[in-house]
Each structure stands twice: as C-alpha cells, then as structure tokens.
Amino acid sequence: MSPPVFLAATAALEGERVVLDGPEGRHAAAVRRLRPGERVDLTDGEGLLAECVVAASDRASLTLDVVARHRQPPPRPRLVVVQALPKGDRGELAVETMTEVGVDEIVPWQAARCVTQWRPERREKALARWRGTAREAGKQARRGRLPEVSGLASTQDVAARVAAASLALVLHEEADAPLSAVEPPPDGEIVVVVGPEGGITGEELERFSAAGGRPTRLGPTVLRTSTAGVAAAAVLLAFTGRW
C-alpha cells in the first residue's frame, strides 16, 4: 500500500526533520493514527515531494525524518480546463476527477447558460470548496503538483486565455473536427473550454473562435459538463505523452 500524502511548506521540507502540525498534523496523528516507523510522504504541492518516516507522534502532530526528496519538473505542455459552472455538487465532482487525471489548472467560468450563479456574496465560499476539493483529490492521487483553481472567469477572461494558448479547443457537439484528430503542441499551454449543460451560445462560440479556439467534438455522444472535461483531458494527456 502506498504511504499517505500530506501537505507541508516548502521551507519545512528542506530540512532533515519535519514537524507536521496544524490540520494536516492532526489528521495524520488522530485520524490516520500514524505511528513511529511508518512511511509518510510530504509535498509542498509545487513539485517537491519528501519521503519520510515517522519518528514520533502525539495527539496533534507528527515528527518525521526525511529519507529522500524528489523534485517534479513543471509539466509540458500545461493543460488548463475552463469549466462552466455545473449544477449542485457536480462542480466538485468535475474538480475531483480532473485533479485525479492530472489537469494543471481549472478555471471556473460563468457562462451565459449556467444555471448555477456564483453571486458576489457566495463566490469566495464556492471557490474555497473547489480549491479544497482539488487539494484533497491531489493528495489522494499522490500528486506532487496540485492543480491551480483560478478565480471565477467571465467570457471575456476566457477569450483572453484562449488567445494566449498554444492550442485552444472549445468542446462542442456540432463541431466537425474530432478530438482524436488534434495534434497537441510539445510545449506551452493547452486550453480546453467546457460549456454548461445548456451548451455554449453562438455568441460565445464566435468569440472563442475569433480568439483562436478550435471547435472540437469528443465523440458521438453528448457528455455532461461535469464529465466532458475529464474525458478530454484523458485523451490529451495520452496524446502528449504525459500518461
């Protein structure tokens, strides 16, 4: 069984002994009940992973000896999914599965046809849920680099990301070009735009196309917005050799 993964500050991982306290330490000691001699991995979420052995434990923290360190280089190309806000808890489901497969950045998008609205008074709370989901899913998936969850984007913001990308794909069920025909770049940033359950409007599609986005279809079926991103990511990660 693989050792559990916990988050720690970069500076802490540079030493030979680490004290894991706070919420991560309490979870490790009180919930996971880790004891001296057991293996634990610590990561800063930015590519540094330390293999550790528990030296001592109490009710709220662990003292760990670092036995090895690994630094993961930044991924090439970088994969960004712009995710229109799904209904209910499907947003967290989309974030969880995209984190598990290896998406590097998730951009929540307030598309025109989104039923869910992140109004100003609840925006930070909703964003915190997405970021918390990404953090926990990243630990579960043993990622040394956690995905970035950006702030809520407007259609104008998304068009700017599309224009700056090395390759930008707009998933659309009526597109002629299949995702399987796409040739990804070896470097830079791939941006995939996933529309809401009601679909991307004609105006949004025109705007993204004008910015350089390529309308692309996943396959013969229409996927829900919460699963389309992870399906596209799986294909692209395989094409780029990251899988």
Side-chain angles (χ1 to χ4, degrees):
M1 183 176 178
S2 299
V5 176
F6 297 95
L7 293 172
T10 304
L13 300 186
E14 300 289 354
E16 299 306 314
R17 176 161 280 195
V18 181
V19 176
L20 184 67
D21 52 14
E24 293 287 281
R26 285 193 295 274
H27 183 76
V31 179
R32 296 300 297 265
R33 297 179 181 274
L34 296 169
R35 295 296 179 259
E38 294 190 84
R39 274 271 289 109
V40 175
D41 284 349
L42 300 180
T43 179
D44 63 354
E46 299 178 0
L48 176 59
L49 186 139
E51 297 179 7
C52 304
V53 174
V54 179
S57 64
D58 57 30
R59 297 180 61 181
S61 66
L62 297 179
T63 300
L64 305 151
D65 289 329
V66 177
V67 296
R69 292 184 188 84
H70 307 279
R71 295 185 185 273
Q72 299 177 0
R76 298 176 56 193
R78 191 168 183 266
L79 180 58
V80 178
V81 175
V82 175
Q83 174 66 62
L85 303 181
K87 294 182 290 186
D89 61 358
R90 288 185 173 273
E92 286 92 307
L93 174 63
V95 171
E96 181 179 56
T97 53
M98 287 192 286
T99 299
E100 289 175 358
V101 300
V103 171
D104 302 301
E105 183 180 352
I106 301 165
V107 182
W109 169 39
Q110 189 74 67
R113 290 176 176 164
C114 283
V115 174
T116 296
Q117 300 286 321
W118 283 7
R119 303 194 184 281
E121 64 272 13
R122 62 185 297 263
R123 186 172 300 166
E124 290 305 315
K125 185 176 180 180
L127 187 58
R129 285 201 302 271
W130 279 37
R131 287 173 173 164
T133 298
R135 182 176 60 251
E136 295 306 315
K139 288 159 57 178
Q140 182 67 35
R142 299 183 54 75
R143 287 186 58 165
R145 285 185 177 274
L146 298 184
E148 177 184 355
V149 179
S150 303
L152 183 65
S154 65
T155 296
Q156 181 178 348
D157 297 330
V158 175
R161 292 298 296 263
V162 167
S166 300
L167 171 67
L169 306 172
V170 183
L171 301 185
H172 197 278
E173 66 272 17
E174 296 179 1
D176 294 327
L179 185 59
S180 58
V182 170
E183 185 174 345
D187 207 345
E189 189 170 270
I190 300 174
V191 173
V192 179
V193 180
V194 180
E197 297 290 357
I200 293 176
T201 67
E203 182 181 351
E204 289 167 339
L205 186 60
E206 288 179 9
R207 192 163 186 175
F208 297 152
S209 297
R214 296 165 52 180
T216 309
R217 81 173 181 277
L218 272 174
T221 60
V222 178
L223 302 184
R224 300 198 71 154
T225 185
S226 54
T227 54
V230 70
V235 174
L236 292 168
L237 288 166
F239 280 2
T240 58
R242 287 183 52 183
W243 271 20

